[in-house]
Amino acid sequence: MMTKAEIVAQILNGRGRAPAAGGYAFAPSNIALCKYWGKRDEELNLPVTASLSISLGRLGSTTKLSLRPDSDVVRLDKKELAPDSPFARRIGAFLDLFRRDAGMYFEVEAVNTIPTAAGFASSASGFAALVTALDELFGWELDKRELSILARLGSGSACRSLHHGFVEWRAGTRPDGMDSYGERLDAAWPELRLGLLVITAAEKSMGSRPAMKRTIETCALYKSWPEKAAADLALLKKAIAEKDFHLLGATAESNALAMHATMIASWPPVVYWRPESLAAMQAIWAARANAVPVYFTMDAGPNLKLIFQAGDEAAVRGVFPDLKVVRPFDAEP
Amino acid sequence: MMTKAEIVAQILNGRGRAPAAGGYAFAPSNIALCKYWGKRDEELNLPVTASLSISLGRLGSTTKLSLRPDSDVVRLDKKELAPDSPFARRIGAFLDLFRRDAGMYFEVEAVNTIPTAAGFASSASGFAALVTALDELFGWELDKRELSILARLGSGSACRSLHHGFVEWRAGTRPDGMDSYGERLDAAWPELRLGLLVITAAEKSMGSRPAMKRTIETCALYKSWPEKAAADLALLKKAIAEKDFHLLGATAESNALAMHATMIASWPPVVYWRPESLAAMQAIWAARANAVPVYFTMDAGPNLKLIFQAGDEAAVRGVFPDLKVVRPFDAEP
């Protein structure tokens, strides 16, 4: 099994120059329409299956980076994190991969424009922004594929946050994961809208990493997940190519429910749903029965992400007045 | 494929005498600890997997039966059903299998001691009581195995309601289903308690028959269900043999959650859970974290059935004051 440090050495391979004064980058959050659920390699975050996401335009993370002589400082949303907090330690361990000597420390200023740790994938945009800022700081001049692989080492789904629009994370087959990265699909869907429905902004009860691990280890139904994910990926690509909204929405919703089903059927059960999550699902099904074309997806948390088109925004807002509506294709380069 | 009428002819095989004045029978409800979920034969209600239930002692159905010259009359809980109501038609179609001539009609007086159609398996006890009453009326003198097969033709899980205590429904392999019937396990567990938690007594949104069909036809995860059911059946038999309460409870709960997971992952999704069901599950998990040994199972409906032991009844009632507590082994012959 390869280590992260070996992958980093292979990618950097002597690249870089004297560090610049700082690095700065933005990366969008992404929401998977076909989920990343299960790792074939825990160390390198290599997935069992391919996945497909849509990036959230201007919602995501910015990261400002500079060097410091003594110890790391991590600020998240303007608040300095205790050095022994889980997130600071996770960032520190990731930065260890890039220190040129034992006396090199970083000041990291991360700002999320989306609620942290409430199932809105801030670690994805956070690690994608961080590697892009590192690239600027050290002058590596890596391409998006290489940055995507580095971001994956921090958080699997981060490899999809290097691009706007629809992104496919190729599962790859190589043990070193050099063929497992995010690639932009050549497709735009400007009328597509995502609606963020915050059931709770509280920290979730269990991180997605242990939830995924427990599912693989204890859920008998997970054996059928790879086949389901492969079928859904093909349907989503067809839906995107043909701009078939109902196919897109139904496939994404079914994929998310199947992922939650594998958690529900794990032991002990992993149930991120709150009663309010279920009430929101029922409101969506009722709206659909009422001819409002709206679907949802959910990640490893209690919140819902609604999927609809611009022309139906008023009808969807009629059901969910507090919805935060995102235009994924607004921030297109 | 064989028809129900052919199976009935094979079993009755000239048995019986001139009808008595009437027939009367009681059959207990049963709650599956390892679920019946999926048919290999829709006509004969032959299951994909074996299942295992516990009968509810004195809770179930009584059926009083007599002959009438003109048309069928079906009374359920003292109320006469409209002849074209779904339940009256279902009973009528089942009775068609047993009429000796075109002018033979029945008066059926069924009384359930458990809420009808709220996921408490009243059709199981109902058909089991009905075939037993038919046996008395016609003097067939069939044994329990034969009655179980006849009851299965009315409703699959009814074949488990011919016995008290723990009952295994052997899946069988024969196309005619003559090896697919309920058998009593030679085991008693007098301290075992079931708690019926009624979330709603309203009719459920979808019957279990179409839900099962949709799951088999659309749920990719269902492919792994037979393996899960087989593993759970073995664990439950071990738990019963060794009186291992935690193994019994955890296996039953996991099996029920996995069954619901296959529905949740169907399309369109079949979600019997109500927000209150989810809140009750969370209360159970919180109680367990608090050292109260209580587990649950759920059927194709929103209600929960709690599983605990006599010594913990006060603690469980502390969490669920309105619980209806059943002593399954109280009605033992």
Side-chain angles (χ1 to χ4, degrees):
Chain A
M1 203 179 93
M2 298 195 71
T3 64
K4 288 179 180 176
E6 287 167 336
I7 304 299
V8 169
Q10 194 175 329
I11 290 177
L12 297 188
N13 190 24
R15 280 165 175 268
R17 47 160 167 68
Y24 179 86
F26 168 80
S29 290
N30 75 77
I31 285 177
L33 303 175
C34 180
K35 304 298 184 188
Y36 156 47
W37 196 242
K39 306 186 192 210
R40 68 169 201 274
D41 183 316
E42 292 267 341
E43 165 77 5
L44 302 181
N45 293 332
L46 295 176
V48 173
T49 69
S51 57
L52 192 151
S53 63
I54 182 158
S55 289
L56 289 196
R58 296 188 179 104
L59 282 188
S61 304
T62 60
T63 295
K64 210 172 110 186
L65 201 61
S66 55
L67 294 177
R68 280 170 53 92
D70 42 4
S71 60
D72 290 341
V73 171
V74 180
R75 262 185 233 102
L76 179 60
D77 294 333
K78 313 285 181 194
K79 274 178 23 196
E80 187 170 329
L81 300 181
D84 59 347
S85 67
F87 192 64
R89 289 160 63 115
R90 190 169 167 200
I91 297 285
F94 185 70
L95 290 171
D96 286 348
L97 298 168
F98 305 103
R99 299 184 211 274
R100 290 188 180 168
D101 56 66
M104 176 177 270
Y105 293 98
F106 297 88
E107 183 167 335
V108 180
E109 175 93 45
V111 175
N112 291 314
T113 54
I114 195 160
T116 305
F120 286 146
S122 58
S123 72
S125 54
F127 279 101
L130 183 56
V131 296
T132 310
L134 282 165
D135 183 82
E136 190 175 294
L137 180 74
F138 288 124
W140 298 327
E141 301 188 339
L142 298 174
D143 63 23
K144 292 261 191 185
R145 182 179 62 77
E146 293 163 320
L147 290 174
S148 173
I149 291 172
L150 292 184
R152 170 171 51 72
L153 301 180
S155 171
S157 56
C159 79
R160 294 186 312 236
S161 274
L162 274 299
H163 299 277
H164 285 278
F166 295 110
V167 180
E168 179 181 351
W169 175 3
R170 298 166 165 276
T173 55
R174 291 177 55 149
D176 66 1
M178 294 304 283
D179 56 353
S180 183
Y181 52 86
E183 258 191 339
R184 192 176 190 285
L185 298 192
D186 184 20
W189 196 326
E191 310 79 29
L192 202 65
R193 296 289 179 271
L194 291 175
L196 307 184
L197 190 67
V198 180
I199 299 296
T200 169
E203 288 273 339
K204 54 197 182 189
S205 46
M206 185 187 224
S208 58
R209 181 177 288 255
M212 209 180 264
K213 196 158 186 284
R214 189 186 291 173
T215 302
I216 291 197
E217 288 172 358
T218 71
C219 177
L221 304 185
Y222 183 80
K223 287 189 189 122
S224 298
W225 169 259
E227 195 181 319
K228 163 76 175 158
D232 286 347
L233 183 72
L235 289 173
L236 285 169
K237 286 171 139 181
K238 179 171 160 28
I240 291 167
E242 298 173 3
K243 271 199 168 187
D244 180 340
F245 175 72
H246 288 282
L247 183 60
L248 183 89
T251 306
E253 185 174 310
S254 170
N255 185 269
L257 286 169
M259 176 182 74
H260 280 268
T262 66
M263 293 186 240
I264 289 167
S266 297
W267 193 263
V270 179
V271 182
Y272 285 111
W273 298 2
R274 297 194 176 206
E276 301 87 343
S277 314
L278 196 49
M281 289 179 217
Q282 286 166 341
I284 289 166
W285 296 325
R288 219 148 67 208
N290 223 359
V292 178
V294 54
Y295 295 84
F296 68 89
T297 183
M298 289 180 84
D299 292 296
N303 301 311
L304 279 76
K305 289 94 174 188
L306 277 55
I307 307 166
F308 53 97
Q309 294 192 103
D312 301 306
E313 184 170 330
V316 173
R317 275 192 192 282
V319 182
F320 299 101
D322 296 331
L323 204 63
K324 172 152 184 60
V325 176
V326 181
R327 305 176 174 217
F329 288 89
D330 248 23
E332 285 279 5
Chain B
M1 202 180 93
M2 299 195 71
T3 64
K4 288 179 179 176
E6 287 167 336
I7 303 299
V8 169
Q10 193 175 328
I11 289 177
L12 297 189
N13 190 25
R15 279 164 175 268
R17 47 160 167 67
Y24 179 87
F26 167 80
S29 290
N30 75 78
I31 285 178
L33 303 176
C34 180
K35 304 298 183 188
Y36 157 48
W37 196 242
K39 305 185 195 212
R40 66 168 203 274
D41 184 315
E42 292 267 340
E43 165 76 5
L44 301 182
N45 293 332
L46 295 175
V48 172
T49 69
S51 56
L52 192 151
S53 63
I54 182 158
S55 289
L56 289 194
R58 297 188 178 104
L59 283 188
S61 305
T62 59
T63 296
K64 212 173 111 186
L65 200 62
S66 56
L67 293 177
R68 280 169 53 92
D70 41 7
S71 60
D72 289 342
V73 170
V74 180
R75 263 186 231 100
L76 178 61
D77 294 333
K78 312 284 181 195
K79 274 176 24 193
E80 187 169 330
L81 300 181
D84 59 348
S85 68
F87 192 65
R89 290 161 63 117
R90 190 170 167 198
I91 297 284
F94 185 71
L95 290 171
D96 286 348
L97 298 167
F98 305 102
R99 299 183 210 275
R100 290 186 179 169
D101 58 66
M104 175 178 271
Y105 294 98
F106 297 90
E107 182 167 334
V108 181
E109 175 93 44
V111 175
N112 291 314
T113 54
I114 195 160
T116 304
F120 286 144
S122 57
S123 72
S125 53
F127 279 101
L130 183 57
V131 296
T132 309
L134 282 164
D135 183 82
E136 189 174 295
L137 180 75
F138 287 124
W140 297 327
E141 301 186 341
L142 298 174
D143 62 24
K144 293 259 188 186
R145 183 179 62 77
E146 293 162 320
L147 290 174
S148 174
I149 291 171
L150 292 183
R152 169 170 53 71
L153 302 180
S155 171
S157 55
C159 78
R160 294 186 310 236
S161 275
L162 274 299
H163 299 278
H164 285 277
F166 295 110
V167 180
E168 178 182 352
W169 176 4
R170 299 168 166 273
T173 55
R174 291 177 55 150
D176 66 2
M178 294 303 284
D179 56 353
S180 182
Y181 52 86
E183 258 191 340
R184 191 174 190 287
L185 297 193
D186 183 21
W189 197 324
E191 311 78 29
L192 202 65
R193 297 290 179 270
L194 291 175
L196 307 184
L197 190 66
V198 181
I199 300 296
T200 171
E203 289 272 339
K204 55 197 180 187
S205 45
M206 185 187 225
S208 58
R209 181 177 287 255
M212 209 181 265
K213 197 159 186 282
R214 188 187 290 173
T215 301
I216 290 197
E217 288 171 358
T218 72
C219 178
L221 304 185
Y222 182 80
K223 287 188 188 123
S224 299
W225 169 259
E227 196 181 317
K228 163 77 174 158
D232 287 347
L233 183 71
L235 289 173
L236 285 168
K237 285 170 140 180
K238 179 171 165 14
I240 292 166
E242 298 173 4
K243 271 203 169 183
D244 180 339
F245 175 73
H246 288 282
L247 183 60
L248 183 89
T251 306
E253 185 174 309
S254 170
N255 186 269
L257 286 169
M259 177 181 75
H260 280 267
T262 66
M263 294 186 238
I264 288 168
S266 296
W267 193 263
V270 179
V271 182
Y272 285 112
W273 297 3
R274 298 196 176 205
E276 300 88 343
S277 314
L278 195 49
M281 288 179 218
Q282 286 166 343
I284 289 166
W285 295 325
R288 219 149 65 209
N290 224 357
V292 179
V294 53
Y295 294 85
F296 69 89
T297 183
M298 289 179 83
D299 291 297
N303 300 313
L304 279 76
K305 289 94 174 186
L306 277 55
I307 307 167
F308 53 97
Q309 294 192 102
D312 300 305
E313 184 170 331
V316 173
R317 276 193 190 281
V319 182
F320 299 101
D322 296 331
L323 204 64
K324 172 151 182 62
V325 176
V326 182
R327 306 177 175 216
F329 288 89
D330 248 22
E332 286 280 3

